[in-house]
Amino acid sequence: MRILVTGGAGFLGSNLCERLVKDPENYVYCLDNLQTGSLENVRELMDRPNFEFIEHDIVEPIELNVDQIYNAACPASPPAYQADPVHTLKTSVFGILNMLELARRHDATVLQFSTSEVYGDALVHPQPEIYWGNVNPDGIRSCYDEGKRAAETLCFDYHRQYGVRIKVIRIFNTYGPKMNPKDGRVISNFVNQALRGEDLTVYGDGKQTRSFCYVDDLIEGIVRMMNSPEEITGPVNLGNPGEFTMLELAEEVLGQTRSKSKLVFHALPKDDPKQRRPDISKAKELLGWEPRVPLNEGLAKTIKYYQSLLVRA
Ligand code: UDP
């Protein structure tokens, strides 16, 4: 199996590459423009005979003979995707167009990394796939949210119009090793702040909720989806239904790191969703998948990872 992973040096992409190269039958092309991804994430894979890194921006077309395409490329943390919003939108829209065209030429399957952000500030809770969302088309999150929505549309239109095999997953908040400590996400921020003895930055009153999925669980769901029967196109939610407020998360991080850090409250970013939790009935039914790692266990592994980075620094 010749497999392309776009965004392969990013958080999810590099964890996925690590999993895929374990099978010697696979040959993995890891594509990344290194905008938010890092070679450090795939350093250990570079010596593998079945792994190849290519520096490339998927906004531009590429030619590779592949059987499967995991399209993970796109900055995903709000500060990162808002830094160059025009490029973010191009990455989602031109990127998936280029990947669907590649799939069409080589009869490959495309798995699109979509997101819970397609639900926006959801008015239905928890969010099932049939919910169409509550998204601001003109706000500061729109370059990401609307880009990902348009990318889903292109997947389904290529499927209906040209018969391209597609798989669309909607990923809810995920965390774990290889997420850049400066990513700006709540778990990477809180853990690194706690380890450095800095104040934990809580946005708003900290009562907004998120559901956090440990990366190994997510990768298992993604690989199952890619290799599921052809008629399973999705969209399928992948995430952990355990729901926590940011205050609860801060408490857990402080407890596990035995940190004396305090909480400091900052303004809530614009369009920040109040509540988010996946309805994963479809993933359970179609893929026999559900997450296994609870937050306290996943956090312990994540803390260990960030501790090792601090020691190396
Ligand atoms: N958040 C926070 N402190 C931080 C970073 C984020 O309180 O240092 C909040 C953020 O406002 C949001 C939640 O944590 O309500 C999750 O944010 P994140 O950026 O991790 O992911 P999002 O779900 O917003 O994409």
Side-chain angles (χ1 to χ4, degrees):
M1 195 73 83
R2 289 153 303 178
I3 307 175
L4 169 60
V5 180
T6 77
F11 164 50
L12 297 181
S14 60
N15 276 285
L16 176 61
C17 285
E18 202 178 313
R19 157 80 185 256
L20 295 173
V21 295
K22 280 188 186 141
D23 183 344
E25 301 280 298
N26 291 337
Y27 188 90
V28 179
Y29 294 101
C30 165
L31 211 84
D32 207 297
N33 68 351
L34 301 179
Q35 185 190 341
T36 54
S38 152
L39 281 181
E40 221 27 70
N41 284 341
V42 288
R43 180 93 45 216
E44 282 163 21
L45 306 181
M46 290 292 197
D47 300 335
R48 301 281 188 109
N50 62 341
F51 178 85
E52 188 174 330
F53 176 77
I54 303 170
E55 188 169 340
H56 179 82
D57 189 331
I58 57 159
V59 164
E60 304 299 333
I62 189 160
E63 179 50 34
L64 282 171
N65 189 5
V66 288
D67 307 301
Q68 293 186 335
I69 302 168
Y70 289 91
N71 188 39
C74 192
S77 102
Y81 69 64
Q82 287 160 12
D84 186 349
V86 173
H87 190 261
T88 299
L89 195 60
K90 280 187 182 170
T91 303
S92 279
V93 177
F94 297 174
I96 190 65
L97 259 177
N98 287 327
M99 291 308 120
L100 288 163
E101 282 295 331
L102 183 63
R104 221 179 134 193
R105 291 197 295 275
H106 293 282
D107 191 28
T109 305
V110 178
L111 184 145
Q112 169 64 4
F113 282 51
S114 191
T115 166
S116 56
E117 287 287 331
V118 301
Y119 301 121
D121 195 359
L123 303 175
V124 168
H125 196 72
Q127 294 84 52
E129 291 84 351
I130 50 164
Y131 177 51
W132 289 350
N134 177 37
V135 177
N136 175 357
D138 306 320
I140 57 170
R141 290 176 92 104
S142 314
C143 61
Y144 186 72
D145 300 6
E146 297 289 23
K148 288 286 188 179
R149 286 169 68 98
E152 284 198 13
T153 309
L154 278 164
C155 286
F156 284 93
D157 282 337
Y158 264 72
H159 177 65
R160 285 184 288 252
Q161 199 170 336
Y162 303 120
V164 172
R165 286 187 304 281
I166 57 147
K167 310 270 176 194
V168 175
I169 51 163
R170 293 181 177 156
I171 301 171
F172 285 65
N173 296 64
T174 302
Y175 68 100
K178 296 194 173 171
M179 179 181 274
N180 186 331
K182 297 201 176 88
D183 186 75
R185 294 304 188 80
V186 68
I187 291 194
S188 48
N189 277 4
F190 282 3
V191 171
N192 283 285
Q193 289 159 344
L195 291 177
R196 291 203 200 94
E198 297 165 2
D199 292 341
L200 269 55
T201 53
V202 178
Y203 301 164
D205 59 9
K207 289 187 183 138
Q208 70 273 36
T209 68
R210 292 292 187 276
S211 305
F212 299 104
C213 186
Y214 187 63
V215 64
D216 290 358
D217 278 337
L218 186 86
I219 297 298
E220 177 62 31
I222 292 174
V223 173
R224 281 193 197 193
M225 181 68 176
M226 175 60 106
N227 297 293
S228 64
E230 189 172 332
E231 63 276 13
I232 299 178
T233 56
V236 172
N237 286 339
L238 292 181
N240 190 322
E243 185 178 354
F244 298 87
T245 65
M246 297 312 103
L247 290 176
E248 287 168 331
L249 175 68
E251 212 166 288
E252 180 68 31
V253 169
L254 289 177
Q256 284 208 23
T257 53
R258 295 196 192 88
S259 168
K260 299 212 166 21
S261 293
K262 304 262 175 296
L263 304 188
V264 58
F265 290 84
H266 289 209
L268 189 69
K270 212 170 166 296
D271 291 341
D272 197 283
K274 284 178 272 307
Q275 234 185 351
R276 187 184 286 153
R277 173 154 64 101
D279 177 335
I280 59 163
S281 328
K282 224 171 142 181
K284 277 188 190 164
E285 179 200 322
L286 298 175
L287 311 173
W289 175 88
E290 65 183 309
R292 309 210 167 278
V293 184
L295 183 65
N296 60 347
E297 233 174 76
L299 258 185
K301 293 184 186 182
T302 307
I303 290 168
K304 231 172 153 182
Y305 169 75
Y306 287 127
Q307 265 164 340
S308 75
L309 290 190
L310 283 177
V311 171
R312 266 195 269 159

